[in-house]
Amino acid sequence: MANNISVAQTFERRGTTVPFTANESLRHTRARIYKHGNDRILEAVIPSLGGGRRGELMVVPWKDLPDFVPLNDRDRQLHDGIPGIVGKNGIDPLQVRELVNKINAAHSDDPDIRAKAQAQAKQDSEDKEVVRMSCIAQLMRECGIERGDPVMANANTKTLVELMTAEESKTHFDLEMLIDRVFLFASQRSGVSVENVREWLEPLVGLITPFGTVKGTQKDRTNGHLFLEHVNLMEFRKSVAAYLAQKPEEYGATAEILLQVIDQTIMYVDERIVTLDSLLGSFANVFGKQDANVSYLIKLRRDVAYALDGWASLIERWTEADAEDCKVAGNVEHRDKAVAYVMNFLPIIPHKELYPDDGFDTQASIERARVKIVSAMHSWSTEELDVELARRVEKGQKQVETEDAGRLIS
């Protein structure tokens, strides 16, 4: 069934992007769980299938998706793998990302994509080791500050990794003693046993890894895929702002809405990264309320992952267009088309995620404005600008402005 200008109220209702590759019409498909009484139905949500009206969604049972659009081997493996990762809370982008990397590494026809997926799996493993070291380094700093030990107070992830990889056995021995001392400190600070600290550290590391090293600044933090996706979104914002500064007449209003949604997403993620850094700034205390803090970290991961979900492929499309325009000074043709494309699949943060206590849905107005602008300016079946429509829209806007000005004078 098709829904025109359907505005999801929560991340779960919006769904999680499942990046099929063989068919362009499925590139922005999302998977979501629909609860009907006691039944939980896995659905595929496909925006603008077959070049349909912008804002229109095609919703079909997940199992029936291959009947609508043929899938290649890689996409079929991805389609069949999705039901297996559905949990009690549905599906989240981190689960899909892990599955996609596995599928790409084993089934992609493109050797570059296979190599990239394999490299990403290796990077994720390395990130986890670095985050583990950063957690221990943070405990050392807290211990050193409390006990007046300048060496421990200045501990950092880099020096700790160097110590861990040193060949001298005495260094290893001293480091083990140092870590034992740190765990004892965390135990005493949080009121749990040393065994609990050692046991709980690993799941905490797993939850933190997508955000990168603990207490790492934006300047020196180079790991954690959620953090890096956030950085990419900020760079995308700069590029779109530079494009808007050229004031393309037909696309100015569209780009302004795009910037508004980007800014909203950046602020949403920034707030949660600040909250995370604040929580982990007193890392020894985290072990004292393990269950509550794990639940809190899961919530932070969920929010950030969902907020960034769907942006990567849109940024990729924009980057390609920007590179093409840069070949000719002053050219904006490719970015014009990219703006239309991005607006068609814009991942607006659902209203209830932004304002859980607010019953007024401001997001619906943004979504409807987006659809109205893009529909007014473009053919529904292509990305080409409908020049005649654009002229009529511009003429109508000027007429309204003139009438408003006349009323003010009178």
Side-chain angles (χ1 to χ4, degrees):
M1 61 179 176
N3 297 318
N4 190 31
I5 316 181
S6 176
V7 184
Q9 291 294 294
T10 64
F11 284 135
E12 283 79 7
R13 283 303 295 156
R14 188 179 75 179
T16 300
T17 302
V18 180
F20 294 109
T21 57
N23 193 303
E24 181 64 26
S25 62
L26 292 184
R27 185 178 175 86
H28 300 279
T29 299
R30 290 178 177 270
R32 70 183 185 189
I33 293 294
Y34 174 67
K35 295 180 181 178
H36 181 68
N38 294 326
D39 295 329
R40 300 171 79 232
I41 303 170
L42 182 60
E43 296 179 331
V45 182
I46 313 166
S48 304
L49 180 64
R53 185 184 178 98
R54 281 166 170 77
E56 188 171 79
L57 303 175
M58 179 68 72
V59 181
V60 300
W62 186 261
K63 63 182 178 61
D64 296 337
L65 185 61
D67 297 334
F68 283 83
V69 182
L71 304 178
N72 61 14
D73 180 59
R74 179 267 184 195
D75 286 358
R76 187 72 197 214
Q77 292 291 331
L78 179 56
H79 171 270
D80 294 347
I82 290 294
I85 63 173
V86 176
K88 64 179 181 179
N89 296 319
I91 308 173
D92 71 61
L94 293 173
Q95 293 173 300
V96 174
R97 175 183 179 273
E98 183 178 356
L99 176 63
V100 168
N101 277 336
K102 289 180 180 178
I103 297 297
N104 284 345
H107 298 282
S108 176
D109 294 330
D110 188 330
D112 290 337
I113 292 178
R114 288 201 306 272
K116 183 179 179 180
Q118 292 164 1
Q120 187 61 65
K122 180 180 179 182
Q123 184 62 55
D124 288 347
S125 178
E126 292 174 357
D127 284 353
K128 189 171 184 178
E129 291 302 316
V130 172
V131 168
R132 181 183 290 105
M133 290 298 101
S134 74
C135 290
I136 294 174
Q138 177 63 20
L139 288 174
M140 284 187 178
R141 285 192 291 270
E142 294 175 31
C143 181
I145 291 170
E146 181 171 295
R147 299 184 178 179
D149 185 327
V151 175
M152 296 181 71
N154 291 310
N156 60 60
T157 306
K158 181 180 178 181
T159 56
L160 196 57
V161 170
E162 290 173 351
L163 286 172
M164 289 291 288
T165 57
E167 295 182 0
E168 296 85 354
S169 59
K170 186 177 185 300
T171 301
H172 283 296
F173 177 76
D174 290 344
L175 183 60
E176 279 300 318
M177 290 182 62
L178 193 59
I179 292 176
D180 285 343
R181 181 182 176 187
V182 166
F183 284 163
L184 178 60
F185 159 75
S187 168
Q188 293 171 342
R189 170 77 74 83
S190 59
V192 300
S193 69
V194 173
E195 290 72 20
N196 286 148
V197 173
R198 289 185 178 276
E199 178 185 350
W200 293 342
L201 179 62
E202 193 62 23
L204 288 172
V205 168
L207 290 171
I208 297 166
T209 296
F211 294 105
T213 53
V214 175
K215 299 298 286 183
T217 64
Q218 182 170 324
K219 182 178 179 180
D220 62 20
R221 183 183 282 164
T222 59
N223 61 344
H225 71 268
L226 287 180
F227 177 79
L228 296 179
E229 286 179 9
H230 184 45
V231 172
N232 288 339
L233 184 60
M234 290 189 285
E235 292 300 316
F236 176 47
R237 197 247 183 247
K238 293 178 184 177
S239 183
V240 173
Y243 161 80
L244 183 59
Q246 297 179 349
K247 300 187 184 301
E249 293 181 4
E250 303 89 349
Y251 292 84
T254 307
E256 287 176 359
I257 288 183
L258 173 56
L259 282 179
Q260 180 182 352
V261 175
I262 294 173
D263 286 342
Q264 195 174 62
T265 304
I266 289 173
M267 183 179 297
Y268 183 89
V269 175
D270 274 341
E271 289 173 350
R272 280 147 185 81
I273 290 179
V274 169
T275 300
L276 175 72
D277 286 342
S278 176
L279 173 66
L280 301 182
S282 299
F283 196 57
N285 294 328
V286 173
F287 299 95
K289 297 180 179 179
Q290 172 72 3
D291 291 342
N293 286 323
V294 165
S295 297
Y296 193 49
L297 282 171
I298 290 173
K299 175 77 164 57
L300 286 175
R301 275 167 45 110
R302 174 255 189 202
D303 290 350
V304 173
Y306 268 120
L308 296 172
D309 182 43
W311 282 105
S313 62
L314 300 179
I315 294 173
E316 181 181 352
R317 179 69 173 257
W318 174 267
T319 301
E320 293 171 354
D322 189 42
E324 286 297 317
D325 280 344
C326 285
K327 295 177 180 178
V328 180
N331 190 39
V332 294
E333 176 186 356
H334 294 90
R335 282 172 292 172
D336 286 349
K337 294 179 179 179
V339 164
Y341 182 87
V342 171
M343 291 295 288
N344 198 23
F345 303 103
L346 200 58
I348 298 172
I349 297 178
H351 179 78
K352 288 185 179 179
E353 303 292 351
L354 280 170
Y355 313 108
D357 299 324
D358 181 8
F360 179 70
D361 187 357
T362 55
Q363 294 310 103
S365 61
I366 294 177
E367 176 69 5
R368 293 188 180 97
R370 171 188 76 87
V371 174
K372 182 178 179 182
I373 287 175
V374 181
S375 294
M377 294 298 192
H378 296 79
S379 163
W380 289 347
S381 58
T382 73
E383 296 300 335
E384 297 300 322
L385 175 71
D386 189 324
V387 177
E388 182 58 33
L389 265 177
R391 287 173 180 167
R392 279 186 284 174
V393 169
E394 183 180 3
K395 182 180 178 180
Q397 290 173 339
K398 288 181 178 179
Q399 182 177 346
V400 170
E401 291 172 0
T402 301
E403 292 173 354
D404 289 343
R407 282 193 292 270
L408 287 173
I409 292 173
S410 61

